[in-house]
Amino acid sequence: MNKKFSVHWLEDIVDEILNRKVSEITLSTGKTPSGHIHIGILREILICDALRRVLEDKGQKVKSLLFLDSLDAAKRFPDYIDKDFQINHLGKPFSLIPCPFKECGCESYAHHFGEELVSTFENFGIKNQIIWTHELYSKKDMQEKIRVALEKTEEIKEILKKYLLPTLDEDRKKEFLKSQENWMPAMVICEKCNKIQFRTENGSIKPNRVLKFISDEDNVIYECHACKKKSKISIYSGRLKLNWRVDWPAKWALFKTTCEPAGKDHAVKGGAYDTGLELCQRIFGYRGPIRVPYEWLRLGERDMKTSKGIVFTPKKYLELADANIYRMLILRTNPMKHISLRIEELPQYHDRYDKMEKIYYNYEDTDLQEDLDFFKYLYPLTRIKKVTKQRPVNISFNYLIFFSQIQNILPLERLYQKAESIVDNEKFEKEYSISDFKFLLNRTLNWVNFIKKIIEDEDDIKVKRNIVNKVSLFYIPDEIDEFILKELNTDQLKGIKLLRTYLIDSVNYSEDEIQNKLFDIAKEKLGISPKMIFEAIYLIILGKKYGPRLGPFLSMMDKEWLLNRLVLKDI
C-alpha cells in the first residue's frame, strides 16, 4: 500500500499537535541575548510562526512564546565588546549588565541585543509574546518550580546521570559523579556583586550553586565564588535560577508548551531534549512538548555564533533584502536539511519566489500535482502582507538591480516612470508610491554594495568569479573619460553613430532587437567583429570593455539619457 505523503512537512507537525486535543496550543522558542543575535534563530521562530498561522486558520487558539533568557550568565563576551567592560561584568546575568554602548542608554545588555532582534519581527510578519526570564523568575509560579526542583534534587540527579554518563569517557565520568555529590539544581545571584558564576584563571566556571535548601524556611544557603560572600536567601527573592537542563522543562511545565523546535545538538537521541522531557514528566508532572528538530542555517560556508561574534543579523538582512524571500527559504526546506544563506544568490531566490507566486496565481503550470499542492500551501505562509485575490504588482528584482545602479545619472522621478513603463500595469502607482520605489532602490543598492564588498574581500579567484557571474554589477560614470575616445578606432565610432540613429528611428525596441541590430551593424554595415562594437559601447557607458549582456542592458536604459551619452563630439 502506497503511503500518502503530506502536502507540506508542516502538516505532519500540525497533525501531531492537534492529536493532543488541548484547548490552547502553546508554541515556544528561546534565545540568550549574549550579543548580536544571528539570523539563524529565525528558523525556529518562523517554524513556530507558520504553525501558528496554520493552526489559527483551523480555528485553534494558539499562544506563541519567545523566551529571551536574560537571566543567563555571561560566560564570555563577543570581541566587539570593550575589554574592560568584559572584565567588570563577566559572570553576571545579562539582565544585570548595563548596555555596553554608552550612547544608547537602554535598560541592559540583555535588552540591547534582545530588542535588536524583536524590533525586526513585524517586518518578518512574526507575531509572538516575548518573555524575559529575569522577569519570569521574579514571579511566584516560576519560583514554585524552583521549590519543586530543590525538593526533588536526588531524583533530578538520577535522571541526569541516566542521560549524561553514557556520553562521557571514564575520566569525565568520575569527574561528573564527584561534582554531583553536593550538586543542587539551582544557582544564586550574589547580593553583593551580582554575579551568578565565576571564571577561574584556568578557564573553568564555578556557578554560585545552592549549598543547602532549608525547606521549612523557604531559604537556601549559597557562597559566591567571585566575592566570597556566604549568605542565606529566600527562594522568593528573584535571585535564584534553575540549572539550564532543569530550567527548560520547568518552563515547559509552567506554560504547558505543546511544541518547541530545537537545534540538532539538543534534539539528538539521549540529548538535552530527551533529558528535559523526562525531567518535565517526572519532576514537574507535565508530558512535555512535541519535538521539532532542525538543522543549522549557515552564512555561506560559515557557521554563525552569537557569543563569538560570527553573526549576520535579521536587522542586517532587512537592510539588503525582502523578508518574504527569507520566509520562503525557511518554510520551503525540511527542518532537518541544512540551509546555506548566500546573499549573493538573492536574484536566484527571487526567481524561485516568482515561480512559486506564478504557480499560486495560475500564471504558470507545473507537471506534478505534488508541486502544485506544495506551492499553493507554501505561498500564503511566506507573505508578510495578507494574500490578495489577484497577483501583486511586482518590479522584477533584476530591474531593481539595474535601476539602483543608475541613480547617479537619472533623477528618481525618471527612474520611477521607467519602472512603470516596464511593469506596464495600471495598478503600479497604487501598489508603489514614489517613496516605496525609493526604498526598494536604496535597499537594492545596499545589497549591490554588500556584494561588491564580498567580491573585494574574497581571495579565491574561482569563488570571486563565480559571484561576479551570478550578479549584474556595474557603475556608470557621470561623464566619459577623455581618454576613452582615444581607444576607439574609426569603425567603432561609426558603429556607435549607427546605433544612435537606430534608436532615434525606433519608437520601441526589445532587448533581442538591440542585440540583433548590434550584430548587423558590426557584420553587415562595417565588416568587423561584433566584439569590437560591444567593447566600444561598454567603454562609452561604463568606462570599461565589459559589462552586463548588452541587449537587455540598453533596452532598460532611459532613451533620452542613452541618446545623449552616444553623442560623440569628436566624430
Side-chain angles (χ1 to χ4, degrees):
M1 184 175 177
N2 291 332
K3 180 182 176 181
K4 184 179 179 182
F5 290 97
S6 300
V7 64
H8 189 279
W9 53 264
L10 274 169
E11 279 297 293
D12 295 328
I13 305 169
V14 167
D15 288 344
E16 201 171 347
I17 290 172
L18 292 176
N19 285 338
R20 292 246 170 147
K21 295 180 169 36
V22 294
S23 59
E24 183 176 49
I25 295 163
T26 301
L27 310 169
S28 71
T29 59
K31 183 62 179 173
T32 301
S34 56
H36 294 298
I37 299 172
H38 65 73
I39 198 168
I41 187 61
L42 289 191
R43 187 165 200 179
E44 65 178 73
I45 292 173
L46 286 174
I47 289 171
C48 281
D49 190 71
L51 287 170
R52 174 190 62 78
R53 290 190 186 189
V54 173
L55 289 163
E56 286 180 345
D57 285 346
K58 293 178 182 291
Q60 299 295 310
K61 188 178 180 182
V62 185
K63 184 164 58 177
S64 186
L65 309 176
L66 169 63
F67 292 91
L68 285 172
D69 290 313
S70 48
L71 211 59
D72 284 2
K75 294 182 176 66
R76 67 179 71 85
F77 289 95
D79 290 341
Y80 51 78
I81 301 299
D82 179 78
K83 298 299 181 187
D84 289 337
F85 185 95
Q86 294 187 37
I87 293 168
N88 290 334
H89 299 293
L90 197 66
K92 294 179 183 177
F94 289 110
S95 60
L96 294 179
I97 300 173
C99 177
F101 307 109
K102 292 179 182 178
E103 69 279 5
C104 179
C106 62
E107 189 172 335
S108 70
Y109 187 104
H111 281 85
H112 183 93
F113 295 108
E115 292 292 354
E116 180 182 72
L117 171 68
V118 172
S119 68
T120 67
F121 285 175
E122 183 178 355
N123 296 97
F124 280 101
I126 295 165
K127 293 181 181 178
N128 57 14
Q129 178 186 345
I130 310 302
I131 297 177
W132 298 88
T133 55
H134 71 281
E135 295 176 355
L136 177 61
Y137 271 94
S138 69
K139 295 179 179 177
K140 185 75 176 290
D141 48 4
M142 189 65 191
Q143 292 164 352
E144 286 299 326
K145 298 300 181 190
I146 296 175
R147 172 198 286 280
V148 171
L150 290 171
E151 288 173 342
K152 297 184 177 182
T153 294
E154 292 306 314
E155 194 172 349
I156 290 173
K157 286 162 72 171
E158 287 306 310
I159 294 170
L160 293 179
K161 287 177 187 177
K162 172 183 173 180
Y163 287 95
L164 290 177
L165 285 177
T167 69
L168 305 175
D169 59 32
E170 288 305 314
D171 289 340
R172 292 175 69 196
K173 279 182 184 178
K174 291 177 183 177
E175 185 179 333
F176 173 74
L177 291 171
K178 183 172 178 59
S179 71
Q180 289 287 288
E181 291 175 1
N182 299 308
W183 181 91
M184 299 200 80
M187 300 165 288
V188 182
I189 303 165
C190 178
E191 300 150 283
K192 181 180 177 182
C193 69
N194 273 343
K195 295 193 175 184
I196 195 171
Q197 66 181 28
F198 176 69
R199 183 183 289 274
T200 64
E201 289 185 4
N202 65 12
S204 63
I205 293 173
K206 291 187 174 182
N208 295 343
R209 205 167 293 286
V210 168
L211 301 176
K212 184 179 181 182
F213 173 43
I214 309 170
S215 58
D216 56 346
E217 296 180 10
D218 294 331
N219 288 329
V220 298
I221 294 173
Y222 77 96
E223 182 175 6
C224 177
H225 290 286
C227 71
K228 307 305 179 185
K229 179 180 177 62
K230 189 171 184 178
S231 183
K232 182 163 67 173
I233 192 170
S234 170
I235 64 169
Y236 302 114
S237 63
R239 300 187 75 85
L240 273 70
K241 181 188 180 299
L242 289 169
N243 173 274
W244 76 271
R245 282 184 182 267
V246 185
D247 166 272
W248 206 10
K251 288 186 288 194
W252 288 343
L254 180 59
F255 290 90
K256 298 294 183 285
T257 304
T258 318
C259 177
E260 178 162 349
K264 62 178 182 178
D265 54 339
H266 291 322
V268 295
K269 183 175 175 57
Y273 212 110
D274 281 347
T275 309
L277 286 173
E278 186 160 346
L279 287 168
C280 192
Q281 293 158 11
R282 288 177 52 185
I283 304 302
F284 300 110
Y286 176 64
R287 68 185 296 185
I290 293 162
R291 171 186 4 215
V292 179
Y294 66 88
E295 261 282 1
W296 306 133
L297 182 140
R298 310 181 79 201
L299 184 62
E301 301 300 324
R302 294 193 306 159
D303 288 329
M304 292 182 282
K305 298 285 185 181
T306 295
S307 60
K308 294 183 180 178
I310 305 171
V311 293
F312 180 81
T313 66
K315 185 177 179 181
K316 183 64 178 176
Y317 175 90
L318 290 172
E319 292 173 2
L320 308 175
D322 186 346
N324 292 299
I325 299 295
Y326 189 78
R327 287 187 71 104
M328 177 198 69
L329 290 175
I330 298 300
L331 298 176
R332 78 193 299 268
T333 310
N334 187 290
M336 282 311 292
K337 291 185 177 180
H338 94 274
I339 298 174
S340 287
L341 175 62
R342 300 181 188 277
I343 297 299
E344 68 273 17
E345 294 187 1
L346 199 56
Q348 289 77 28
Y349 297 159
H350 272 272
D351 289 344
R352 290 183 205 167
Y353 196 91
D354 290 343
K355 180 181 176 64
M356 173 181 65
E357 187 172 80
K358 287 175 182 175
I359 290 173
Y360 181 83
Y361 284 102
N362 301 317
Y363 279 74
E364 186 174 309
D365 294 328
T366 177
D367 295 333
L368 296 175
Q369 183 65 38
E370 292 90 340
D371 287 347
L372 178 62
D373 294 340
F374 180 81
F375 288 133
K376 291 278 188 180
Y377 185 96
L378 174 63
Y379 177 73
L381 296 177
T382 67
R383 297 297 296 171
I384 309 301
K385 297 180 180 178
K386 189 175 180 180
V387 176
T388 54
K389 289 183 180 180
Q390 294 183 325
R391 188 184 178 204
V393 178
N394 291 318
I395 306 173
S396 159
F397 187 61
N398 285 327
Y399 285 145
L400 288 172
I401 293 172
F402 176 79
F403 292 140
S404 71
Q405 294 178 90
I406 63 171
Q407 292 183 81
N408 66 310
I409 63 169
L410 286 178
L412 178 63
E413 291 75 14
R414 290 276 290 280
L415 291 172
Y416 183 76
Q417 291 166 5
K418 183 68 175 174
E420 184 176 13
S421 68
I422 289 174
V423 173
D424 191 24
N425 190 303
E426 60 185 14
K427 295 182 180 178
F428 181 86
E429 289 188 16
K430 184 177 179 181
E431 190 74 23
Y432 296 102
S433 67
I434 197 161
S435 61
D436 293 332
F437 181 64
K438 182 179 180 181
F439 169 80
L440 291 176
L441 288 185
N442 289 339
R443 185 178 70 186
T444 308
L445 186 59
N446 288 342
W447 174 79
V448 167
N449 291 332
F450 187 83
I451 300 307
K452 286 180 178 178
K453 186 69 166 61
I454 290 177
I455 294 169
E456 181 184 323
D457 294 343
E458 180 57 59
D459 294 325
D460 190 315
I461 299 299
K462 289 183 179 179
V463 173
K464 192 189 292 270
R465 188 183 301 120
N466 185 44
I467 297 173
V468 169
N469 289 337
K470 285 179 180 177
V471 294
S472 180
L473 302 180
F474 59 87
Y475 172 75
I476 300 179
D478 294 337
E479 296 180 356
I480 305 172
D481 191 308
E482 62 182 62
F483 295 103
I484 292 291
L485 293 176
K486 296 178 181 178
E487 291 190 35
L488 303 179
N489 62 35
T490 302
D491 285 334
Q492 288 175 310
L493 293 171
K494 286 180 181 178
I496 291 169
K497 189 174 182 180
L498 288 169
L499 172 62
R500 188 173 186 279
T501 300
Y502 165 75
L503 295 175
I504 291 171
D505 293 340
S506 303
V507 177
N508 294 305
Y509 40 80
S510 69
E511 57 187 63
D512 288 336
E513 287 170 338
I514 291 180
Q515 197 81 8
N516 291 336
K517 187 62 182 178
L518 290 171
F519 277 96
D520 177 67
I521 289 171
K523 291 182 175 180
E524 304 300 327
K525 300 289 194 300
L526 300 174
I528 61 173
S529 165
K531 182 181 178 182
M532 292 181 65
I533 294 296
F534 288 0
E535 286 184 353
I537 296 168
Y538 284 131
L539 282 167
I540 293 299
I541 295 175
L542 302 178
K544 57 185 181 181
K545 292 182 178 181
Y546 58 90
R549 190 167 179 267
L550 207 49
F553 186 65
L554 295 182
S555 70
M556 287 191 288
M557 297 292 290
D558 179 78
K559 185 174 182 178
E560 183 180 340
W561 183 90
L562 183 56
L563 291 174
N564 288 334
R565 187 69 157 208
L566 295 177
V567 173
L568 303 180
K569 297 174 184 178
D570 290 356
I571 292 179

